[in-house]
Amino acid sequence: MQITGSAVSLTVDDVAASSAFFIKHLGFREAMAADGFASLQREDAGMHVVLLRRGIEVLPPELREQRAAGVIVAFVVKDLEGEERRLRAEGVPITLPLREEPWGERLFMITDPNGVVIELVEWAAAPPA
C-alpha cells in the first residue's frame, strides 16, 4: 500500500460552525464544500479535516446519527504558549489549560462549537519512538 494523503472525518451537527472555527482560529482553508460537507486543509497540517453533517446520506446508515465524540484532533505546533495567548485573545475558550506530561508532551485543548476537541501539542523532549 502507498498512502498519498490523509484526512480525519468528523460528523457534526453544524458544518458551517466547525468550518468557520477551523478557518478563523486554526488557519485552515476550505478546499471543497457542498451542502452538509466541507473539506478543510492547511499545506503544513499533513492531513485534511473533513466535516460531515450528522444524518448525511453519504455515511452508512449505522454511522449517520453519530457525532464526533471521544475523538481528539491533535496538531503539533511551535510556540505553544504563543498559540494559547493568541487563541485566548481571540476569545476561544481553553478546554484544558496548558500542562506538561511526565513523558515530555506539553499541550492544551480547545473545543469547537460542535464539541470537537482540538489539542495543540509541543514536545519538551524528543517524542517517544
Side-chain angles (χ1 to χ4, degrees):
M1 167 175 42
Q2 179 183 7
I3 297 174
T4 60
S6 60
V8 60
S9 291
L10 305 168
T11 305
V12 298
D13 287 323
D14 186 344
V15 169
S18 284
S19 181
F21 185 90
F22 273 81
I23 290 168
K24 179 178 181 179
H25 300 297
L26 300 174
F28 279 78
R29 70 175 180 81
E30 201 169 75
M32 291 183 280
D35 183 38
F37 162 83
S39 177
L40 309 175
Q41 70 179 39
R42 279 183 60 126
E43 299 307 318
D44 60 351
M47 70 174 190
H48 290 211
V49 174
V50 175
L51 302 166
L52 298 171
R53 184 184 61 237
R54 189 170 59 88
I56 196 165
E57 292 182 6
V58 299
L59 292 170
E62 64 274 12
L63 298 179
R64 288 183 189 157
E65 294 306 314
Q66 294 185 11
R67 291 182 180 89
V71 173
I72 298 172
V73 180
F75 298 109
V76 178
V77 301
K78 294 180 181 177
D79 188 19
L80 192 66
E81 289 88 356
E83 291 300 328
E84 184 187 32
R85 282 191 304 276
R86 177 185 65 81
L87 290 164
R88 281 186 191 276
E90 291 176 2
V92 175
I94 305 300
T95 307
L96 179 71
L98 185 65
R99 61 193 272 173
E100 185 167 334
E101 301 295 350
W103 51 87
E105 180 183 28
R106 299 177 65 239
L107 64 104
F108 71 93
M109 293 180 183
I110 58 177
T111 304
D112 93 337
N114 282 290
V116 175
V117 177
I118 299 132
E119 178 179 282
L120 298 181
V121 178
E122 185 176 64
W123 290 95

